[in-house]
Amino acid sequence: MSNNYASFLTHPVFKVASQIITEKNLEAYVIGGYVRDLLLERPSKDIDIVVIGNGLDLAKECAERLRVKKVSFFHNFGTAQFKYKDLDVEFVGARKESYRQDSRKPLIENGTLIDDQNRRDFTINAMGLSLHASNFGELIDPFNGVEDLSKGILRTPLDPNTTYSDDPLRMMRAVRFAAQLDFKIEGESLQAIYDNAARLDIISVERIMDECNKIILCAEPSRGFKLLFSTKLLHQFFPEMVDLHGVETIDGKTHKDNFFHTLEVLDNVAKESDNLWLRWAAILHDIAKPPTKKLDREIGWTFHGHEELGARMTPKIFKRLKLPLDHKMKYVEKLVRLHLRPIALVKGSVSDSAIRRLLSEADDDIEDLMTLCNADITSKNEFKVKKYKKNFEMVMEKLKAVEEKDRIRNFQAPVSGELIMQTYNLAPCAEIGSIKARIKEAILEGEIPNEPANAIALMLKIGEELGLKVVKEPTLNK
Ligand code: ATP
Ligand code: MG
């Protein structure tokens, strides 16, 4: 295999950087993720350039020649960054790092290329391509990253124990790359992660979750979670998920392992959707099974109310993990709360009103709820899976039919508060809300069709019951 990748470094950033450093007789290299992804033929959105010397100066000059106006300088870190078209380009001076016990912030000195490669997390992330005209595109690979890349192995350049203890975030990165690239973590590294898992406590939860979310967004997220679990990294930041693990047998009655079930559901959802929050709903859908678990001598293990308790645990977990507490959290909470509802509709005779209620509660998230619910059908028994899937199809059909007929989704009250106020000459008051709620109930229950004329008739009936006097006849187009 050739050692020169010049023909791949066609981007103007490389050309310009090469011109500058060659004129000044400096050394600079493309390094890290970009080189790894180039060799793997994966697309890459960020370029890291390491300079032996001052990264800020090179960034400034490159930006000028490329006519890039905005450059961000991080003097404390000795780095500079700009955007060029769709790429993020970062410049850094080569450095040597030494660590203290209590922090992931190292002491930094200027260093050589090899010093800089030594501080990198994995051999596959430590490869450099020279930018100097004399050897433009030459691969500098002191730890044989190319071989690890072809074998699919994650290995640290230096002693793994020191590497992970120095910066424990690297353990999360190891798992993330293993999951993203479908690579194996080399044996000594895996042991070192296990031994250093508790050191994760010096890493901020934001950084941990950044990596965790990247794992969740992988094609097969279970790969990452199995590693997080077996190395005990998961125990450090997500004990509720760890609690899902294990089976109990009493009097010959066994329940399924909810950890592995959850991972199956997560992988199933991942096949259908890239929505991070839908994937989170899969992770949390059974999170309250451990605290609700009971053995019923007649029917076996039960988890009554786990969907409701799980929904209530969701904001607490999101808060602790510093995940967004806005509509994204509300969405996850809602899906966790409703995850049993579609399949419950299979049992017995399904009434239209039960379907209308579900449509009204799920609103625009009904498709995602159905994706989750379908993903939740896991069993070793193929016959059971087939039967459940068939039932699921039935519910889908039913939902479609009822929605077409009654348009419950995004429920718009057919009688507005304004119309009620005008009809009875009322100021805003609680009564208006309760009249609207009764009309909605009647529609969901199927007592009246979801049509304005029927809703107005019902409003007049309720008004009469309440002893309200009509001062203005309601009209349909109000
Ligand atoms: P991606 O961009 O896909 O997340 P990446 O490997 O490019 O992957 P970045 O966070 O962009 O990751 O980092 C760029 C490079 O910096 C890495 O390839 C690696 O060489 C180095 N690096 C990043 N974080 C660490 C770390 N915690 N310890 C050691 N080296 C690191
Ligand atoms: Mg990168």
Side-chain angles (χ1 to χ4, degrees):
M1 195 194 225
S2 157
N3 222 16
N4 193 291
Y5 293 85
S7 59
F8 296 98
L9 299 181
T10 51
H11 200 280
V13 169
F14 301 130
K15 293 230 165 87
V16 166
S18 177
Q19 278 165 9
I20 298 168
I21 62 152
T22 307
E23 282 164 23
K24 302 193 172 190
N25 208 19
L26 292 169
E27 274 180 63
Y29 303 85
V30 193
I31 196 142
Y34 189 86
V35 181
R36 178 200 66 221
D37 290 340
L38 183 83
L39 269 61
L40 284 174
E41 297 177 31
R42 289 172 91 228
S44 201
K45 279 197 289 311
D46 46 336
I47 297 176
D48 289 289
I49 294 177
V50 64
V51 195
I52 317 307
N54 190 318
L56 304 181
D57 292 346
L58 180 60
K60 194 160 166 256
E61 200 146 347
C62 269
E64 273 166 21
R65 293 201 194 179
L66 290 166
R67 302 190 203 296
V68 171
K69 296 221 172 56
K70 195 172 165 280
V71 186
S72 315
F73 295 100
F74 306 94
H75 291 276
N76 292 348
F77 299 98
T79 64
Q81 178 263 339
F82 60 73
K83 269 203 182 310
Y84 183 76
K85 299 194 173 152
D86 51 335
L87 280 176
D88 240 323
V89 193
E90 188 167 325
F91 294 80
V92 60
R95 46 163 101 154
K96 191 174 170 162
E97 294 184 340
S98 43
Y99 283 84
R100 293 153 293 165
Q101 239 332 82
D102 56 339
S103 157
R104 71 178 285 267
K105 292 202 183 69
L107 298 170
I108 296 173
E109 325 163 47
N110 290 339
T112 60
L113 174 65
I114 189 71
D115 289 331
D116 200 90
Q117 288 174 307
N118 275 330
R119 76 173 178 88
R120 300 207 169 243
D121 48 5
F122 304 107
T123 61
I124 62 163
N125 283 348
M127 298 181 282
L129 295 176
S130 174
L131 289 174
H132 195 282
S134 65
N135 62 345
F136 186 78
E138 186 182 313
L139 177 71
I140 319 284
D141 179 20
F143 314 111
N144 211 353
V146 167
E147 191 181 327
D148 286 343
L149 209 55
S150 69
K151 289 189 179 159
I153 291 174
L154 287 157
R155 184 197 311 277
T156 57
L158 303 180
D159 168 52
N161 206 44
T162 319
T163 304
Y164 294 124
S165 169
D166 279 353
D167 178 0
L169 183 67
R170 293 167 180 160
M171 301 189 282
M172 290 298 296
R173 285 173 58 89
V175 174
R176 190 255 288 189
F177 287 120
Q180 249 177 4
L181 305 173
D182 194 13
F183 273 30
K184 289 227 151 22
I185 300 174
E186 167 274 327
E188 264 183 57
S189 239
L190 201 59
Q191 180 65 42
I193 294 176
Y194 183 84
D195 294 340
N196 285 284
R199 296 263 306 146
L200 206 60
D201 69 351
I202 66 163
I203 304 294
S204 74
V205 72
E206 288 91 340
R207 282 181 190 276
I208 295 174
M209 293 319 291
D210 229 32
E211 294 299 332
C212 186
N213 281 339
K214 286 183 182 169
I215 293 170
I216 296 171
L217 285 171
C218 286
E220 209 179 292
S222 65
R223 281 205 290 257
F225 277 98
K226 282 176 190 163
L227 277 170
L228 288 177
F229 180 78
S230 63
T231 53
K232 299 218 159 124
L233 287 169
L234 193 64
H235 303 54
Q236 295 298 311
F237 64 94
F238 202 175
E240 296 90 342
M241 192 171 179
V242 173
D243 287 345
L244 290 170
H245 181 259
V247 288
E248 207 173 329
T249 305
I250 297 179
D251 293 347
K253 291 187 163 67
T254 307
H255 61 81
K256 62 176 149 187
D257 184 306
N258 288 305
F259 180 72
F260 292 109
H261 164 69
T262 293
L263 293 187
E264 242 183 293
V265 179
L266 177 59
D267 281 352
N268 287 344
V269 165
K271 281 184 210 130
E272 300 299 321
S273 164
D274 287 334
N275 177 349
L276 175 65
W277 307 109
L278 180 53
R279 294 182 183 202
W280 264 103
I283 292 170
L284 293 180
H285 81 286
D286 277 349
I287 202 71
K289 274 198 169 172
T292 54
K293 181 168 100 170
K294 281 205 179 73
L295 181 65
D296 181 310
R297 302 274 155 194
E298 302 280 296
I299 48 175
W301 292 100
T302 66
F303 305 90
H304 286 310
H306 75 272
E307 66 285 15
E308 182 55 37
L309 184 61
R312 288 195 208 154
M313 286 166 74
T314 299
K316 290 182 198 145
I317 291 173
F318 265 51
K319 193 160 181 220
R320 196 189 69 234
L321 297 179
K322 303 250 167 75
L323 293 170
L325 299 175
D326 56 8
H327 61 279
K328 299 182 186 101
M329 185 271 285
K330 285 274 161 214
Y331 161 89
V332 176
E333 184 183 335
K334 174 159 108 179
L335 291 185
V336 173
R337 177 170 284 119
L338 297 179
H339 82 269
L340 292 177
R341 291 273 293 278
I343 217 69
L345 292 179
V346 167
K347 292 175 190 149
S349 55
V350 195
S351 68
D352 280 9
S353 73
I355 296 209
R356 279 191 291 267
R357 277 188 189 283
L358 180 61
L359 279 167
S360 146
E361 281 175 63
D363 240 4
D364 268 348
D365 302 318
I366 187 74
E367 275 95 6
D368 289 354
L369 178 64
M370 296 311 276
T371 303
L372 174 63
C373 190
N374 194 19
D376 196 13
I377 305 174
T378 72
S379 165
K380 292 206 173 59
N381 181 335
E382 241 176 80
F383 175 75
K384 261 193 189 169
V385 170
K386 264 206 187 115
K387 190 176 108 192
Y388 289 156
K389 294 261 173 194
K390 206 166 151 232
N391 287 344
F392 180 82
E393 290 302 321
M394 265 168 46
V395 176
M396 283 291 266
E397 293 291 308
K398 204 84 193 159
L399 277 168
K400 232 188 262 161
V402 171
E403 174 57 26
E404 261 164 34
K405 181 160 65 83
D406 300 339
R407 304 173 321 278
I408 296 300
R409 198 170 156 167
N410 279 324
F411 185 84
Q412 298 281 336
V415 165
S416 68
E418 208 180 312
L419 183 73
I420 302 173
M421 290 196 287
Q422 282 175 3
T423 305
Y424 299 111
N425 192 23
L426 292 171
C429 61
E431 229 157 23
I432 296 159
S434 81
I435 295 173
K436 280 174 76 178
R438 279 185 62 184
I439 295 172
K440 180 173 176 180
E441 267 305 293
I443 292 169
L444 293 178
E445 278 304 314
E447 289 158 15
I448 61 166
N450 188 9
E451 298 295 343
N454 303 76
I456 288 175
L458 178 60
M459 173 191 80
L460 291 172
K461 194 166 151 245
I462 297 169
E464 221 177 281
E465 277 171 36
L466 294 173
L468 296 173
K469 239 178 115 175
V470 176
V471 292
K472 185 166 184 268
E473 281 301 324
T475 50
L476 263 182
N477 53 4
K478 269 291 158 95

